[in-house]
Amino acid sequence: MNLTLDGKGALYDQIARALKLEILEGRIAAGSKLPSTRVLATALGVSRKSVLQSYDLLCAEELAIARAGSGTRVAKAVPMRKASSEIGSKPQSQYAARIDSLPPVSLGAGHLRGLKYNLLYGEPLVDSALFHSWRRKLSAAALRAGPSYPRAGGYLPLRRAIADYLGRRRGVICDASEILIVGGTQQALTIVERTLLDPGDRVVVEDPHYQLAVHSLLAHGAQLVSVRTDEQGLVVRELPKGKTRLVFVAPSHQFPSGVAMTLARRLDLLRWAAQGESWIVEDDYDSEFHAGEGSLPAMRSLDLADRVIYVGSFSKTLFPSLRLGYIVCPRSLRDHFFKAKMLDDLGSPALEQAALATFIQSGQYERHLRKTVTEIAARRHAIVEALQRLAENHIELGPHRSGMHFVVWFRRLGFDRLDAFIERAKSVGLGLHPVHPYYRHMPARPGLLLGYAGLSPAQLKTAADLFARCCEGM
Amino acid sequence: MNLTLDGKGALYDQIARALKLEILEGRIAAGSKLPSTRVLATALGVSRKSVLQSYDLLCAEELAIARAGSGTRVAKAVPMRKASSEIGSKPQSQYAARIDSLPPVSLGAGHLRGLKYNLLYGEPLVDSALFHSWRRKLSAAALRAGPSYPRAGGYLPLRRAIADYLGRRRGVICDASEILIVGGTQQALTIVERTLLDPGDRVVVEDPHYQLAVHSLLAHGAQLVSVRTDEQGLVVRELPKGKTRLVFVAPSHQFPSGVAMTLARRLDLLRWAAQGESWIVEDDYDSEFHAGEGSLPAMRSLDLADRVIYVGSFSKTLFPSLRLGYIVCPRSLRDHFFKAKMLDDLGSPALEQAALATFIQSGQYERHLRKTVTEIAARRHAIVEALQRLAENHIELGPHRSGMHFVVWFRRLGFDRLDAFIERAKSVGLGLHPVHPYYRHMPARPGLLLGYAGLSPAQLKTAADLFARCCEGM
C-alpha cells in the first residue's frame, strides 16, 4: 500500500482521507484487512495514535469494521461516492426546474471574443481617469463607511445623493427614504418579483426584450405575455385584458430596438396600469446618454397613481463591476421591498456605497457623465456617419440618438445568408451579433445589434469600412 | 395663483408639476378655469410654448380638459393621489404576506445602543491596522479587477484562494470550480432556498437558532420543524421521520448556545441525510475563533454522500460591511446554485473580491486571523474569569471556548424578575440581552447572550463587576 498524505489538516484526518481514497477507488478491496496500526505507523513515519484515530474515523463512517483480536477490515459493502458523471443534476424544486428550461442567452456571445473590431453590446467605455479617481474615493470611503453591518436599505448619504440627482436630472421627485440600494438592475428585478409575483401571475414584457430580465421572470414562474413595440414604443392598445400584475418597460431606450416611448404612449400606459391596478417597472437605463434635445420625462415623474417602480443602475454610467443600482419604491410597496432586500442579503457592501455617495455629491459623477456623453456621441457619430456613407444601400439604421448601441436592418440579405455574412465578417476581424434572438416574434428581416462603446472612433470607422466591404461581396 | 417652479427638469414639466400640486391640494378648485396660456406665460416670464406643453400634459393625465374656444379647465373629478396614510401596504404576493407575519428580530436591539458596557452580540472587533491594509489592497485591486461584469460565480483567484484555505485549515477538500461567491451567509441561504425548496417543503432548524436564517426560511414558505439541541449538539434521533428537504446546522458553534456538535452526532446526521436524501446546510461560522485543541473536522470533510452544502463568510473574520461569503457546492447542485446567483444579481462586486483574493493569498488574512484569535481569547478570558470569580453563585456559564459570545444562565432568578434585572443593569451603563427569544421552546431558566468582541479586556472586567453588583442587589 502506497499512501500519499496531502498535508491538509490534522494528521489523522490526512491518513483517513488517503485510506478512504484507496478504498473508494477500489485499490484496497472491500472486505480485506487493513495493515496493523503499528505497521502503518512505521511505514508512514507517524505516531501509532494518529493511525488509530484515522481507523476510528473510517469505522465511524462505516467504511471499515474493527473486531477485537482480528484487527480492522474494510467494510464488505462500501458506500461508493458517486462519480461526477453519474450525478444527474436533477432539479430539486420548481424554481430549479424552470432554470433548466430557460432559453439560451445571446448577450456576450463568447465565440467572437478576441476579434479586433468586435461590435459587442455591453462593453464599457474604459476611462482610466475615472478609475484613478474611483480608487482614491474608495480608499477614503473605507474609513468612513465603517466595519459594521450596513443598513439593509442602503447607505443614507448615497440614497440622498441619488434622490437629489434624480430630481435634478430626471424630474423624479422622491425622498431618500423611498430609495432602496440594490446590487444592480438584476437584483432590483429579483426583489420586485419576490414581492409582487406568485408563480403563474401574468407579466407583460416588450418584444423585443432584454434577455436576462425575461430569464429572471421565467425562473420566478411568471406567465409571460410579449407585447409588440413599434416606432413609438410599446403598443399599449395591444396589452392583454384582465389581470396583469406587472409590465416591464424601458421607455427611455427600448432594448435592443433603441426606440424612446412617446409621451402619449407613456400616459396611455400609466392610465392602463392605474385602471387595472398593475405595476410598471420602469428600467431607465441609458437615459443619461441621450443626444440632442434631451430625453422625455421619466414615467415615474408623470405617475399620479403611484404604480411605477423606477429602476436605475450605475453599471452603464460608471462600470458594471460596481454592481450598484437602486429602486425608487412606490409608497405602498416600500416596506416589502426593504424587507425583501434585507432577507436576501442584509444589504449591499458599504464601502462602494460610501465612495459612490462622495462621487455624486462632489459633482464628479455628473462631470464624468458629461465627459462620457461627449465621448459616446463621438463614437456614435463615427460609426453612424461611416455606415451611412459606405453601406446605406445595404442596411437601414434603427433609432441611434441614444445609448451605446443601435440596430441595423439588412435591406436585401435574407436569413438564409445571415450566418455566412457573420462568418465573413469574422474572417476580417469584425464581430457582428444578430438581433433576432432578442425577439419573441421573428422580425421580417435579419438585423444586427451593434455595440460601439468599447471601440475608439478610428476603430469604429475601420469597422464600418470592413462592414461595407463584407456587404459588397455578398 | 402663485406658482413656484422647482427648477428640476424641463420647464414645461416644472410648470405642469407646480399646477398639479395646486390642483391636487385643492388650491385650484375642480372644474375651475385655468389662466390663459398667454397670461400665465407672462406671469412666469416663460415662453407661451412651455405653458401650452404643460397644459397638454395636464390634459393627457386627465387633470384638465381643453375645449376649443373656452380655454382649459380643471377636470371635475380629479384623480386624487392617495395620501401616505391612506395607502395600506396590502401584501401583493404570498411571499409578501409571509414577510408580514414574521416574528420580531431580537438581534441588535436598539434600545441599549449607546450604553458604555453593551454586551451586544455581533459588534465587530475593530482593528485599525486591518482597515489601513485593506484600503491599500482595495486601491490596488481596482486596477486588477477591471470594469467589466464580474463572473457571476465569483472572481476566480478568490475562489482558488478560498479552496486552498479550506483545505489547509478546515480539511475541506474542494476545487475552485465548486466554490460560489455570494454576498454573505444570508444570500447563501437565499440561493439554497430558491434552488432546493418549494413552499411547504419541510426544513429542520436547531432550537435555539439564528433568527435571520429562520426568517429567510419562513419567508420562502418552508415548513419549519425545530429540533432540540443538547450539550452534544443537535439531537439527531429526534429528527422527524419522512421526507425532510433540508437541515440547517452550525456544528462548529451552535448559535446562540455555543455548543460544538460532537463527531458522533456529525456522523449520525450525515448518515441520516444520506438515507433520507436530505440536504445539510453547514454554517461554519466562528470556526476560526476556536480556542484550545482546535475544532472538529467540518461536516463537509466527512461527507461521502455529497449532501453537505458548506457555507462560510468573512463578516466575522474581517468585517460585516464587506458582505462576502461563499458556498462549497455539492457537485449535483453546483449548476443550479451558480445559475440562481446569476439570475439574482449577476454576481457580487468584483473589486472587493479581488482585494480579498490578494489578502488571502499573501498570507495577510491568516496573520490577521491569528492576531484576532489572540485578541478575542484575551477578551474572552477577561470576562469569563471575572464572571466566574464574582458571580458564579448567581449564574452558570454555557460553553465558552469559541466564538465571540457565550450564554449565561441564572441559577435563581426567575423570568418574572428578568426585565427588572436588565433595567437595573441599564441604569449602571451595562447592556444585557436575554437569550430566550432565540428559543422556539422556552428554556427552563432565564439566560443572557453575552457578546464580548466589541469591548476591551479592561472594559469587560468592569462590565463583569457591574454585573456582579446587579446580582447582589436582586
Side-chain angles (χ1 to χ4, degrees), chain A residues 273-286:
Chain A
Q275 277 161 8
E277 298 201 333
S278 301
W279 300 100
I280 298 171
V281 173
E282 176 178 28
D283 180 2
D284 202 28
Y285 93 102
D286 266 4

PDB file of all heavy atoms in Angstrom, chain A residues 273-286:
ATOM      1  N   ALA A 273     -52.322  51.114 -16.303  1.00  0.00           N
ATOM      2  CA  ALA A 273     -51.845  50.492 -15.063  1.00  0.00           C
ATOM      3  C   ALA A 273     -52.700  50.924 -13.879  1.00  0.00           C
ATOM      4  O   ALA A 273     -53.047  50.123 -13.008  1.00  0.00           O
ATOM      5  CB  ALA A 273     -50.381  50.853 -14.816  1.00  0.00           C
ATOM      6  N   ALA A 274     -53.080  52.224 -13.866  1.00  0.00           N
ATOM      7  CA  ALA A 274     -53.893  52.722 -12.753  1.00  0.00           C
ATOM      8  C   ALA A 274     -55.258  52.050 -12.757  1.00  0.00           C
ATOM      9  O   ALA A 274     -55.773  51.654 -11.710  1.00  0.00           O
ATOM     10  CB  ALA A 274     -54.031  54.243 -12.851  1.00  0.00           C
ATOM     11  N   GLN A 275     -55.840  51.884 -13.968  1.00  0.00           N
ATOM     12  CA  GLN A 275     -57.166  51.259 -14.057  1.00  0.00           C
ATOM     13  C   GLN A 275     -57.131  49.800 -13.644  1.00  0.00           C
ATOM     14  O   GLN A 275     -57.971  49.327 -12.900  1.00  0.00           O
ATOM     15  CB  GLN A 275     -57.717  51.378 -15.486  1.00  0.00           C
ATOM     16  CG  GLN A 275     -58.377  52.717 -15.725  1.00  0.00           C
ATOM     17  CD  GLN A 275     -58.516  53.038 -17.204  1.00  0.00           C
ATOM     18  OE1 GLN A 275     -58.254  52.190 -18.059  1.00  0.00           O
ATOM     19  NE2 GLN A 275     -58.904  54.276 -17.517  1.00  0.00           N
ATOM     20  N   GLY A 276     -56.120  49.081 -14.115  1.00  0.00           N
ATOM     21  CA  GLY A 276     -56.085  47.644 -13.842  1.00  0.00           C
ATOM     22  C   GLY A 276     -55.318  47.301 -12.580  1.00  0.00           C
ATOM     23  O   GLY A 276     -55.111  46.133 -12.299  1.00  0.00           O
ATOM     24  N   GLU A 277     -54.852  48.326 -11.861  1.00  0.00           N
ATOM     25  CA  GLU A 277     -54.009  48.098 -10.678  1.00  0.00           C
ATOM     26  C   GLU A 277     -52.826  47.191 -10.997  1.00  0.00           C
ATOM     27  O   GLU A 277     -52.482  46.291 -10.225  1.00  0.00           O
ATOM     28  CB  GLU A 277     -54.845  47.551  -9.523  1.00  0.00           C
ATOM     29  CG  GLU A 277     -55.932  48.540  -9.098  1.00  0.00           C
ATOM     30  CD  GLU A 277     -56.452  48.305  -7.695  1.00  0.00           C
ATOM     31  OE1 GLU A 277     -56.397  47.161  -7.224  1.00  0.00           O
ATOM     32  OE2 GLU A 277     -56.888  49.296  -7.068  1.00  0.00           O
ATOM     33  N   SER A 278     -52.208  47.463 -12.132  1.00  0.00           N
ATOM     34  CA  SER A 278     -50.971  46.766 -12.475  1.00  0.00           C
ATOM     35  C   SER A 278     -49.780  47.614 -12.041  1.00  0.00           C
ATOM     36  O   SER A 278     -49.914  48.818 -11.836  1.00  0.00           O
ATOM     37  CB  SER A 278     -50.876  46.558 -13.982  1.00  0.00           C
ATOM     38  OG  SER A 278     -51.973  45.816 -14.429  1.00  0.00           O
ATOM     39  N   TRP A 279     -48.644  46.983 -11.913  1.00  0.00           N
ATOM     40  CA  TRP A 279     -47.413  47.698 -11.586  1.00  0.00           C
ATOM     41  C   TRP A 279     -46.567  47.841 -12.835  1.00  0.00           C
ATOM     42  O   TRP A 279     -46.559  46.958 -13.691  1.00  0.00           O
ATOM     43  CB  TRP A 279     -46.631  46.958 -10.500  1.00  0.00           C
ATOM     44  CG  TRP A 279     -47.406  46.813  -9.230  1.00  0.00           C
ATOM     45  CD1 TRP A 279     -48.073  45.707  -8.804  1.00  0.00           C
ATOM     46  CD2 TRP A 279     -47.618  47.819  -8.224  1.00  0.00           C
ATOM     47  NE1 TRP A 279     -48.686  45.952  -7.606  1.00  0.00           N
ATOM     48  CE2 TRP A 279     -48.429  47.230  -7.220  1.00  0.00           C
ATOM     49  CE3 TRP A 279     -47.209  49.146  -8.080  1.00  0.00           C
ATOM     50  CZ2 TRP A 279     -48.830  47.936  -6.085  1.00  0.00           C
ATOM     51  CZ3 TRP A 279     -47.609  49.847  -6.963  1.00  0.00           C
ATOM     52  CH2 TRP A 279     -48.406  49.248  -5.982  1.00  0.00           C
ATOM     53  N   ILE A 280     -45.862  48.971 -12.922  1.00  0.00           N
ATOM     54  CA  ILE A 280     -44.960  49.195 -14.051  1.00  0.00           C
ATOM     55  C   ILE A 280     -43.531  49.231 -13.529  1.00  0.00           C
ATOM     56  O   ILE A 280     -43.226  50.018 -12.638  1.00  0.00           O
ATOM     57  CB  ILE A 280     -45.260  50.554 -14.732  1.00  0.00           C
ATOM     58  CG1 ILE A 280     -46.680  50.559 -15.286  1.00  0.00           C
ATOM     59  CG2 ILE A 280     -44.241  50.850 -15.822  1.00  0.00           C
ATOM     60  CD1 ILE A 280     -47.128  51.934 -15.771  1.00  0.00           C
ATOM     61  N   VAL A 281     -42.666  48.366 -14.050  1.00  0.00           N
ATOM     62  CA  VAL A 281     -41.238  48.519 -13.760  1.00  0.00           C
ATOM     63  C   VAL A 281     -40.659  49.364 -14.875  1.00  0.00           C
ATOM     64  O   VAL A 281     -40.690  48.971 -16.050  1.00  0.00           O
ATOM     65  CB  VAL A 281     -40.504  47.171 -13.688  1.00  0.00           C
ATOM     66  CG1 VAL A 281     -38.999  47.395 -13.555  1.00  0.00           C
ATOM     67  CG2 VAL A 281     -41.009  46.347 -12.507  1.00  0.00           C
ATOM     68  N   GLU A 282     -40.157  50.542 -14.518  1.00  0.00           N
ATOM     69  CA  GLU A 282     -39.536  51.435 -15.496  1.00  0.00           C
ATOM     70  C   GLU A 282     -38.026  51.304 -15.372  1.00  0.00           C
ATOM     71  O   GLU A 282     -37.421  51.797 -14.413  1.00  0.00           O
ATOM     72  CB  GLU A 282     -39.950  52.892 -15.221  1.00  0.00           C
ATOM     73  CG  GLU A 282     -39.245  53.870 -16.157  1.00  0.00           C
ATOM     74  CD  GLU A 282     -39.674  55.329 -15.952  1.00  0.00           C
ATOM     75  OE1 GLU A 282     -40.081  55.684 -14.816  1.00  0.00           O
ATOM     76  OE2 GLU A 282     -39.591  56.102 -16.931  1.00  0.00           O
ATOM     77  N   ASP A 283     -37.434  50.603 -16.329  1.00  0.00           N
ATOM     78  CA  ASP A 283     -35.973  50.460 -16.338  1.00  0.00           C
ATOM     79  C   ASP A 283     -35.421  51.647 -17.118  1.00  0.00           C
ATOM     80  O   ASP A 283     -35.521  51.686 -18.338  1.00  0.00           O
ATOM     81  CB  ASP A 283     -35.614  49.130 -17.007  1.00  0.00           C
ATOM     82  CG  ASP A 283     -34.105  48.906 -17.052  1.00  0.00           C
ATOM     83  OD1 ASP A 283     -33.356  49.753 -16.530  1.00  0.00           O
ATOM     84  OD2 ASP A 283     -33.676  47.890 -17.625  1.00  0.00           O
ATOM     85  N   ASP A 284     -34.876  52.622 -16.416  1.00  0.00           N
ATOM     86  CA  ASP A 284     -34.477  53.885 -17.058  1.00  0.00           C
ATOM     87  C   ASP A 284     -33.022  53.843 -17.524  1.00  0.00           C
ATOM     88  O   ASP A 284     -32.346  54.856 -17.540  1.00  0.00           O
ATOM     89  CB  ASP A 284     -34.692  55.048 -16.077  1.00  0.00           C
ATOM     90  CG  ASP A 284     -34.830  56.388 -16.811  1.00  0.00           C
ATOM     91  OD1 ASP A 284     -35.281  56.378 -17.968  1.00  0.00           O
ATOM     92  OD2 ASP A 284     -34.469  57.423 -16.221  1.00  0.00           O
ATOM     93  N   TYR A 285     -32.543  52.665 -17.918  1.00  0.00           N
ATOM     94  CA  TYR A 285     -31.144  52.531 -18.341  1.00  0.00           C
ATOM     95  C   TYR A 285     -30.876  53.401 -19.559  1.00  0.00           C
ATOM     96  O   TYR A 285     -31.756  53.634 -20.368  1.00  0.00           O
ATOM     97  CB  TYR A 285     -30.830  51.052 -18.625  1.00  0.00           C
ATOM     98  CG  TYR A 285     -31.014  50.649 -20.050  1.00  0.00           C
ATOM     99  CD1 TYR A 285     -29.917  50.507 -20.883  1.00  0.00           C
ATOM    100  CD2 TYR A 285     -32.280  50.481 -20.573  1.00  0.00           C
ATOM    101  CE1 TYR A 285     -30.084  50.181 -22.220  1.00  0.00           C
ATOM    102  CE2 TYR A 285     -32.449  50.154 -21.894  1.00  0.00           C
ATOM    103  CZ  TYR A 285     -31.358  50.016 -22.716  1.00  0.00           C
ATOM    104  OH  TYR A 285     -31.526  49.711 -24.030  1.00  0.00           O
ATOM    105  N   ASP A 286     -29.693  53.902 -19.660  1.00  0.00           N
ATOM    106  CA  ASP A 286     -29.228  54.662 -20.826  1.00  0.00           C
ATOM    107  C   ASP A 286     -29.861  56.037 -20.980  1.00  0.00           C
ATOM    108  O   ASP A 286     -29.540  56.735 -21.940  1.00  0.00           O
ATOM    109  CB  ASP A 286     -29.495  53.883 -22.136  1.00  0.00           C
ATOM    110  CG  ASP A 286     -28.286  53.056 -22.549  1.00  0.00           C
ATOM    111  OD1 ASP A 286     -27.306  53.033 -21.786  1.00  0.00           O
ATOM    112  OD2 ASP A 286     -28.316  52.447 -23.617  1.00  0.00           O
TER     113      ASP A 286
END
